[in-house]
Amino acid sequence: MTEKEIFEHLFRIASLSNDTDGVVTACLVRKGEIIVDGVSAGAEHAEYILLQKIKDQSIVITPDDVLYVTLQPCDRRSHAEGEKLGDCTTNVIKSDIKQVVYAATYPKSESSLEKFEANHIKIRQCGDKEIVEKAVELFNSTNKQMDKHIPMPNQLS
């Protein structure tokens, strides 16, 4: 699968979520094939759900596996229920995942990129502006709190 096909899959599975805090989807890709995916469910973020599926299915992560996610992983949690689950950046760092590709930047994740890099995890933003814009639209259109919407990028850095 191409990167575009992987993200198209993530956008398709978004309809499985009733998350009103902004739908985010994630998948683990091995040798170009999606082996497991997850969608956000409120306090349970997509990465958390994905990592739980990996554990439940006894999937062994290989160094070449890549985590794809529609939104940059969060680096802190702000509500009591979410605190118990941990932030997505820390959860991914604790897993054996060594590569992350995200679509939209999450402005509130101020230190996730540095945390990943400090833990020798390769992280990059998808370079396809259409995919990035679609990820922002997905998150904003499903987030009922206007003050938590993320800005549409003018251009990729």
Side-chain angles (χ1 to χ4, degrees):
M1 298 180 89
T2 66
E3 190 163 279
K4 186 170 185 134
E5 291 170 328
I6 292 165
F7 277 107
E8 287 302 323
H9 170 80
L10 292 177
F11 295 133
R12 277 193 304 277
I13 66 170
S15 64
L16 300 173
S17 177
N18 293 323
D19 191 349
T20 59
D21 292 329
V23 172
V24 177
T25 59
C27 66
L28 189 70
V29 174
R30 178 175 293 159
K31 296 182 180 178
E33 297 299 322
I34 296 169
I35 59 171
V36 64
D37 57 28
V39 298
S40 60
E44 293 180 329
H45 292 182
E47 298 92 330
Y48 177 83
I49 291 171
L50 178 80
L51 293 170
Q52 284 303 119
K53 284 183 174 182
I54 289 169
K55 181 180 175 187
D56 294 347
Q57 296 175 26
S58 301
I59 295 171
V60 177
I61 297 170
T62 70
D64 294 328
D65 291 348
V66 182
L67 168 67
Y68 283 85
V69 62
T70 54
L71 187 66
Q72 177 183 350
C74 69
D75 61 2
R76 64 182 177 278
R77 300 296 294 263
S78 60
H79 45 75
E81 185 178 355
E83 287 297 331
K84 296 175 194 169
L85 303 175
D87 67 87
C88 297
T89 297
T90 301
N91 288 336
V92 171
I93 289 169
K94 288 179 179 178
S95 77
D96 289 330
I97 294 170
K98 297 297 179 196
Q99 299 179 67
V100 178
V101 178
Y102 65 94
T105 299
Y106 187 53
K108 293 182 180 182
S109 287
E110 298 169 355
S111 63
S112 70
L113 301 179
E114 293 84 12
K115 287 179 181 179
F116 281 125
E117 289 171 2
N119 285 278
H120 310 290
I121 296 170
K122 295 177 187 175
I123 184 161
R124 70 174 175 84
Q125 183 176 21
C126 171
D128 186 321
K129 187 176 182 195
E130 182 181 313
I131 290 171
V132 174
E133 289 174 347
K134 198 167 184 178
V136 171
E137 176 60 28
L138 169 63
F139 183 82
N140 288 347
S141 68
T142 55
N143 189 314
K144 302 303 179 204
Q145 300 177 30
M146 296 291 287
D147 63 324
K148 292 187 177 181
H149 283 197
I150 56 178
M152 187 64 71
N154 291 331
Q155 60 183 0
L156 295 176
S157 54

